[in-house]
Amino acid sequence: MTHNPFNTQKEIALSTNRKAKFYSLPALEASGVGKISRLPISLRIVLESVLRHCDGKKVTEAHVRRLANWQPNAARMDEIPFVVSRILLQDFTGVPLLVDLAAMRGVAEKMGRDPKLIEPLVPVDLVVDHSVQVDYYGNDQALKLNMEIEFRRNNERYEFIKWGMQAFDTFTVVPPGIGIVHQVNLEYLARGVHQKDGVVYPDTLVGTDSHTTMINGIGVIGWGVGGIEAEAGMLGQPVYLLTPDVVGVNLTGRLRDGVTATDLVLTVTEMLRKAHVVGKFVEFFGEGTASLSVPDRATIANMAPEYGATMGFFPVDDATIEYFRGTGRSEEEVAALQSYFQAQEMYGTPRKGDIDYTRELELDLGKVSPSLAGPRRPQDRIEIDNIKSRFTELFTKPVVESGYGKSATDLNLRHPVRSCNDKEMGREAHIVGAGQENIPLQLGSARNVTEMVSNRPILDTDEAPVCISNGPFDLGHGDVVIAAITSCTNTSNPSVLLAAGLLAKKAVEKGLMVKRHIKTSLAPGSRVVTEYLKATGLLAYLEKLGFNLVGYGCTTCIGNSGPLSEPIEEAMGANDLVCAAVLSGNRNFEARIHSSIRANFLASPPLVVAYAIAGTMLRDLTTEPLGFAEDGTAVMLADVWPREDEIHALMKFATNGETFRRLYSNLTKDHPLWNDVSAVSGQVYTWPKSTYIAEPPFFEDFSMQPGQIGEVRNARVLGVFGDSVTTDHISPAGAIKDTSPAGKYLLSSGVSKHDFNSYGARRGNHDVMMRGTFANVRIKNLMIPGSEGGITLHYPDAQQMSIYDAAMKYVAEGVPTLVFGGEEYGAGSSRDWAAKGAQLLGVKAVIARSFERIHRSNLVGMGVLPLQFKGDDSAQSLGIKGNEQFDLLGLHDVRPQQDVTLVIREEDGSSRKIDLLCRIDTTIEVDYYLHGGILPYVLRELMTD
């Protein structure tokens, strides 16, 4: 029997000779279900999925009717079961997901079932892009050397990924050295519409990286989720979400000459943060939106996590079709995309009045000005003529007011940097300064690194560049020490990359240069960028300024900036210098880019080059010289800034479809590093001994019947935390300290300190990860006032110890534990180990003032109860010190958003009760929680079927 809910299955001509079936939204409206043509485009695409998967079980006609009758300002109580077309992974989040799938196959085999029951039901793409670091830079061998180090560090992880490639039929891998996940998705993985069993339907996805939203720029629905939720999605579970508000943003006018897409996205981020669009869909419309190129749209969509939205969506229109042709998609794919969206009456950019939104905002593109954002948050935009004054203001502003608390008399002081000891020079690499001889880098001694301040790997001792022989120079506050053209946000956009190359060309021709101690790097999001920079002759000029190709991956944007020269770090530390990094990235939280750099500014690629030349943030580039030519003539930024017609004349080199087809046709061609990685075979992983990959304990003693969920009694507290505790605080990410529980475990397992790598690289090993949970050296447990680091007090003996040790002691004693937090608990990256680690430590519930969207979902997905204080209540207002005992009552019949009673029992025997809001938000989440999490729920369902 044909699946034809509401009689909506119709025929569509995809091209002259090709026809298919599709589920028609105009037909659904004609049937009287709802006024669908007034719905936001983004909701219509979600509605199509609900309609197509309507089976009367997981997705019912009631779901279709509710979404079809979405009201702009109704209370958001209804959940949507959204089945996506595919799943997107990056390697830091993808490897632990693959570990879980391997473990589930093992369970199936042990229970006498076919391991192939555990198989992704939708296509899964994993792009390896998070593991390359900028160890070498400033020379033409940097790419080769950085990739060799990457493969040496991550060989065991890559062997496991290769096992997954042969074990799962729908699991494909884009190897290291190809590009950044979101740019590869935009240029290659997204094919417009899908066809299966004679039915055509739109591309939709979720990804295990928050910037998955970049794909919204080509009219594809997608956003970031935790790995736990992504696993459920790939195994056939819908992604459940509450019906969202949709904020329409009407873009008017056009960008002025000299204003970049980066300036625009920083303006949008500032504006939408102020508009409080957190957790909402944002949809762009209007004549200004139609005027933007697809790369400009993708730049704006990419930073949806920074402005807080679930998505930043752009509709499919003529610009989308032009982009698909220019990036090498086949004419058949292009025709299918256009025909489908026209048939669904979703083609073209809506104008004001066409759509009913929850509310509308407006931005005149003609008023956008050249800007940077920083020094600590992406929403803190500063117009370029205010950079010097803003830095000066923050320099003396108190720390409690987000300043640096320094004396004004220190601002212009200079401090000498010691020279390298040539007698200690060992194995050498090279850095090239513009117009100068190769300068050797010493490699060989260990560095002091701060644990868990970023995703960067720790360096092996025989790899760390510790000294650059620059000759005598000095450093001061505001000096630029890192300048990086990096990140999918901007390197996917040829207009800003070509602008950077043109600025470099003009600067070199005028005799300008970059100081040799500034760590410059070019890390494009795909190999296509290198091709068009070479074809235009601009790459050579970037290289003359030190912007050599260092890798195809996230690099500096996620903190993989690599080490600075040891004398530079010494000078910065000894003199408490506020030095700067300028990067074309999307996040600039303090210590994310580099643990020693306290001021981080987001900027367009041409401005990255400009500030590298200037060498300081204490120069107003609109009124003061950028630098001086060899004859002493002052060169202003305006003298080297590229004109719009110059950029446009070169765009043809960036939209050559044949280049895209050639570079993406065979991802392993001429890739010996990847091709030489060995792999075990078989459908069930045998778990060879490894400190990188280990069988997780999530399915120990698994049975087909879930255990009983009861009330929590006599619980103790592991930690009491304040506001804005991020997943970086909760979940291991960066370097592993040898004195930490994880470091001690690795040492006891025979791993030497210089082979520790990072927490991010070891996310496939639960023994490492659970020991690092809450181990960030900057996390502040209010149970021990004035303390920093992952320590707590074990009760009733009040003994101070690591959070891990206390948790294991409580587990051995049979005592449940709780965690208390403040506002925005779990903000930041979509890091599932922030929930997995808590579960393995025995945490039964997290009680906070508010939760970040993805982390709340991840807690439920791991069977950890998220509970929210009501009104003005908080751990601080209630005087919770951590020496109390607690009960959680009312959990015998769990319901979405019910009240739960917290009983607080003091040491003196007195007690009090308060009501908490249970943040299990939907009925399916109740099922997940009762089963002990998403994974046991899905595994039981698959084994039952």
Side-chain angles (χ1 to χ4, degrees):
M1 182 178 176
T2 302
H3 177 62
N4 192 12
F6 299 95
N7 194 32
T8 54
Q9 192 181 87
K10 306 297 179 184
E11 190 172 76
I12 181 175
L14 298 177
S15 62
T16 305
N17 302 315
R18 295 171 57 237
K19 293 183 179 181
K21 301 291 185 181
F22 79 113
Y23 288 89
S24 170
L25 296 178
L28 184 64
E29 180 170 346
S31 72
V33 170
K35 191 65 175 175
I36 294 160
S37 57
R38 297 292 303 179
L39 292 179
I41 303 294
S42 54
L43 282 187
R44 290 189 228 174
I45 297 174
V46 175
L47 175 60
E48 186 279 339
S49 172
V50 177
L51 176 65
R52 179 164 36 92
H53 290 95
C54 182
D55 58 4
K57 298 175 184 177
K58 289 180 182 175
V59 185
T60 67
E61 288 191 1
H63 288 125
V64 176
R65 291 183 186 278
R66 283 200 292 264
L67 186 55
N69 287 279
W70 176 86
Q71 297 299 311
N73 291 290
R76 303 305 178 201
M77 303 297 293
D78 297 329
E79 63 180 5
I80 304 171
F82 178 38
V83 180
V84 297
S85 305
R86 59 189 176 97
I87 304 288
L88 183 68
L89 313 173
Q90 42 95 333
D91 56 306
F92 268 15
T93 52
V95 167
L97 184 150
L98 187 59
V99 167
D100 290 343
L101 291 181
M104 292 169 77
R105 277 204 169 176
V107 172
E109 184 182 55
K110 289 173 186 175
M111 297 186 72
R113 305 298 298 274
D114 182 1
K116 292 286 283 183
L117 284 171
I118 313 302
E119 178 73 40
L121 301 181
V122 296
V124 179
D125 295 295
L126 186 152
V127 181
V128 184
D129 67 346
H130 269 53
S131 297
V132 64
Q133 175 175 288
V134 187
D135 295 315
Y136 290 87
Y137 64 102
N139 72 91
D140 59 8
Q141 292 297 302
L143 173 65
K144 175 178 179 292
L145 295 170
N146 288 332
M147 286 190 65
E148 287 173 352
I149 293 173
E150 174 192 354
F151 274 79
R152 189 156 63 247
R153 287 183 183 132
N154 296 284
N155 185 65
E156 288 182 40
R157 296 172 65 234
Y158 293 170
E159 287 179 341
F160 179 63
I161 289 172
K162 275 201 165 181
W163 170 80
M165 290 174 65
Q166 61 83 42
F168 296 98
D169 296 337
T170 53
F171 179 79
T172 60
V173 174
V174 176
I178 302 299
I180 302 174
V181 56
H182 308 305
Q183 189 161 338
V184 172
N185 191 25
L186 192 72
E187 294 177 351
Y188 169 61
L189 296 175
R191 310 310 297 187
V193 292
H194 298 267
Q195 295 181 60
K196 184 178 180 180
D197 300 329
V199 175
V200 62
Y201 53 94
D203 187 15
T204 59
L205 70 145
V206 290
T208 58
D209 190 281
S210 52
H211 294 101
T212 300
T213 53
M214 187 171 197
I215 206 65
N216 304 158
I218 56 171
V220 173
I221 295 293
W223 59 81
V225 297
I228 305 160
E229 196 171 356
E231 286 180 64
M234 72 172 61
L235 293 173
Q237 291 297 305
V239 175
Y240 290 88
L241 68 152
L242 285 175
T243 309
D245 287 349
V246 184
V247 177
V249 179
N250 181 19
L251 299 181
T252 64
R254 288 179 174 269
L255 293 175
R256 293 175 291 136
D257 195 1
V259 176
T260 67
T262 314
D263 303 321
L264 172 57
V265 73
L266 295 180
T267 302
V268 168
T269 299
E270 177 190 45
M271 168 183 156
L272 294 184
R273 265 291 167 187
K274 291 178 180 177
H276 304 293
V277 299
V278 174
K280 306 181 191 316
F281 285 11
V282 168
E283 187 166 305
F284 294 90
F285 70 95
E287 295 178 2
T289 297
S291 75
L292 295 176
S293 69
V294 163
D296 287 357
R297 299 175 186 184
T299 298
I300 296 170
N302 177 280
M303 287 189 71
E306 280 64 54
Y307 46 85
T310 302
M311 288 197 304
F313 181 81
F314 290 82
V316 172
D317 62 5
D318 290 345
T320 318
I321 299 303
E322 180 184 347
Y323 178 80
F324 265 65
R325 286 200 174 97
T327 50
R329 271 74 167 199
S330 69
E331 281 301 317
E332 186 176 272
E333 289 174 313
V334 172
L337 173 65
Q338 187 167 25
S339 297
Y340 178 83
F341 275 86
Q342 287 173 337
Q344 291 284 28
E345 298 179 5
M346 296 190 296
Y347 188 83
T349 300
R351 298 305 195 261
K352 187 174 179 63
D354 290 348
I355 302 289
D356 296 325
Y357 293 109
T358 302
R359 61 173 166 149
E360 293 184 9
L361 304 172
E362 189 168 298
L363 175 64
D364 181 353
L365 299 181
K367 294 182 179 179
V368 176
S369 298
S371 305
L372 294 84
R376 290 188 178 96
R377 301 189 307 175
Q379 64 263 42
D380 295 334
R381 186 181 67 90
I382 311 169
E383 293 192 4
I384 189 171
D385 55 349
N386 293 324
I387 286 290
K388 177 181 178 180
S389 59
R390 181 61 175 158
F391 187 95
T392 303
E393 175 191 353
L394 290 172
F395 186 74
T396 56
K397 203 170 187 179
V399 174
V400 293
E401 297 177 25
S402 300
Y404 295 104
K406 312 287 286 184
S407 170
T409 58
D410 293 340
L411 182 61
N412 296 310
L413 294 178
R414 306 298 298 175
H415 303 275
V417 178
R418 71 169 173 87
S419 298
C420 296
N421 182 351
D422 292 336
K423 293 181 180 178
E424 295 178 359
M425 295 297 283
R427 186 166 61 87
E428 295 181 350
H430 295 86
I431 178 168
V432 180
Q436 297 161 9
E437 298 298 319
N438 284 0
I439 308 298
L441 300 180
Q442 182 182 358
L443 306 174
S445 71
R447 306 169 56 243
N448 292 322
V449 292
T450 303
E451 183 183 19
M452 294 178 59
V453 293
S454 72
N455 280 330
R456 72 180 68 87
I458 190 170
L459 289 173
D460 292 352
T461 56
D462 63 346
E463 296 169 351
V466 296
C467 193
I468 303 175
S469 183
N470 289 305
F473 70 99
D474 54 29
L475 281 178
H477 297 290
D479 280 12
V480 175
V481 291
I482 286 180
I485 299 175
T486 179
S487 172
C488 51
T489 305
N490 286 291
T491 68
S492 63
N493 195 325
S495 67
V496 291
L497 268 296
L498 291 169
L502 286 166
L503 189 147
K505 179 176 184 290
K506 294 182 179 185
V508 169
E509 289 172 345
K510 290 183 178 294
L512 301 183
M513 57 176 288
V514 174
K515 294 177 181 177
R516 287 174 288 173
H517 69 269
I518 297 175
K519 189 166 190 176
T520 46
S521 60
L522 170 63
S526 80
R527 298 177 296 175
V528 173
V529 176
T530 314
E531 288 286 312
Y532 67 68
L533 287 177
K534 285 180 178 176
T536 56
L538 297 177
L539 183 61
Y541 292 100
L542 286 165
E543 290 173 341
K544 287 180 180 179
L545 294 180
F547 287 93
N548 293 77
L549 182 64
V550 296
Y552 296 101
C554 300
T555 63
T556 303
C557 188
I558 61 165
N560 285 2
S561 54
L564 296 172
S565 176
E566 192 173 84
I568 292 176
E569 292 216 40
E570 285 178 2
M572 290 166 62
N575 300 289
D576 197 26
L577 294 180
V578 183
C579 291
V582 184
L583 65 148
S584 60
N586 47 47
R587 284 181 176 162
N588 56 340
F589 307 131
E590 187 172 12
R592 177 183 176 92
I593 305 307
H594 190 284
S595 58
S596 298
I597 299 176
R598 299 167 64 187
N600 302 287
F601 293 91
L602 306 180
S604 65
L607 280 180
V608 170
V609 177
Y611 275 97
I613 295 169
T616 178
M617 308 308 295
L618 290 173
R619 190 176 299 169
D620 182 351
L621 298 189
T622 63
T623 61
E624 299 177 63
L626 180 66
F628 293 88
E630 292 179 359
D631 63 2
T633 304
V635 179
M636 305 299 290
L637 179 61
D639 296 332
V640 296
W641 195 262
R643 299 188 313 273
E644 201 64 36
D645 63 299
E646 293 176 308
I647 297 170
H648 182 74
L650 299 178
M651 283 297 291
K652 63 188 178 196
F653 294 99
T655 55
N656 184 337
E658 181 52 41
T659 299
F660 286 86
R661 284 189 288 271
R662 172 171 54 83
L663 291 176
Y664 282 114
S665 63
N666 187 343
L667 301 181
T668 60
K669 182 182 179 182
D670 300 323
H671 202 330
L673 287 171
W674 179 252
N675 294 334
D676 289 345
V677 173
S678 60
V680 296
S681 60
Q683 296 303 307
V684 178
Y685 195 63
T686 57
W687 306 105
K689 185 175 177 59
S690 169
T691 55
Y692 279 91
I693 306 296
E695 186 173 12
F698 304 127
F699 305 103
E700 285 182 358
D701 303 320
F702 177 84
S703 70
M704 290 300 292
Q705 295 301 318
Q708 293 295 313
I709 300 294
E711 296 177 329
V712 177
R713 302 276 185 176
N714 302 316
R716 291 288 186 178
V717 183
L718 272 186
V720 179
F721 304 108
D723 295 340
S724 300
V725 170
T726 70
T727 52
D728 284 298
H729 289 110
I730 305 166
S731 174
I736 302 171
K737 212 172 182 179
D738 58 344
T739 56
S740 68
K744 292 176 181 176
Y745 167 78
L746 289 172
L747 290 171
S748 70
S749 300
V751 179
S752 61
K753 182 179 176 181
H754 74 265
D755 288 328
F756 277 7
N757 209 324
S758 69
Y759 282 107
R762 291 188 180 274
R763 285 183 182 162
N765 187 306
H766 63 278
D767 281 315
V768 174
M769 300 304 289
M770 64 189 289
R771 284 167 170 80
T773 305
F774 297 112
N776 190 319
V777 295
R778 296 189 180 182
I779 198 168
K780 296 176 177 63
N781 188 350
L782 303 181
M783 290 171 63
I784 309 175
S787 68
E788 278 194 330
I791 57 175
T792 192
L793 297 175
H794 174 273
Y795 282 97
D797 52 11
Q799 183 182 353
Q800 182 174 308
M801 60 185 70
S802 73
I803 288 179
Y804 169 78
D805 288 337
M808 293 301 97
K809 195 169 184 179
Y810 283 130
V811 168
E813 295 165 348
V815 176
T817 52
L818 307 176
V819 168
F820 287 91
E823 298 278 1
E824 299 177 339
Y825 184 85
S829 302
S830 56
R831 197 165 294 160
D832 56 349
W833 263 107
K836 286 181 173 179
Q839 190 247 39
L840 291 179
L841 293 185
V843 174
K844 299 302 180 184
V846 176
I847 305 171
R849 290 272 297 156
S850 65
F851 291 91
E852 189 275 338
R853 174 182 64 87
I854 296 176
H855 186 61
R856 184 208 63 80
S857 174
N858 280 343
L859 287 171
V860 177
M862 289 308 301
V864 178
L865 196 61
L867 300 172
Q868 191 165 310
F869 286 112
K870 290 189 166 189
D872 295 329
D873 284 348
S874 68
Q876 289 71 42
S877 72
L878 295 169
I880 293 172
K881 300 180 181 65
N883 58 351
E884 306 89 347
Q885 287 184 292
F886 301 86
D887 299 333
L888 290 173
L889 308 180
L891 297 174
H892 55 279
D893 182 23
V894 179
R895 303 179 309 280
Q897 298 193 339
Q898 71 175 72
D899 280 356
V900 172
T901 300
L902 175 69
V903 181
I904 307 169
R905 295 204 306 279
E906 306 289 351
E907 285 187 312
D908 63 7
S910 63
S911 66
R912 50 201 164 123
K913 296 180 179 180
I914 64 164
D915 287 335
L916 304 171
L917 175 66
C918 176
R919 287 302 312 277
I920 294 178
D921 288 349
T922 64
T923 54
I924 189 64
E925 287 188 340
V926 172
D927 289 338
Y928 292 160
Y929 177 69
L930 295 177
H931 279 259
I934 290 181
L935 301 184
Y937 173 89
V938 172
L939 183 55
R940 290 185 180 105
E941 187 174 74
L942 291 172
M943 301 273 275
T944 300
D945 293 343

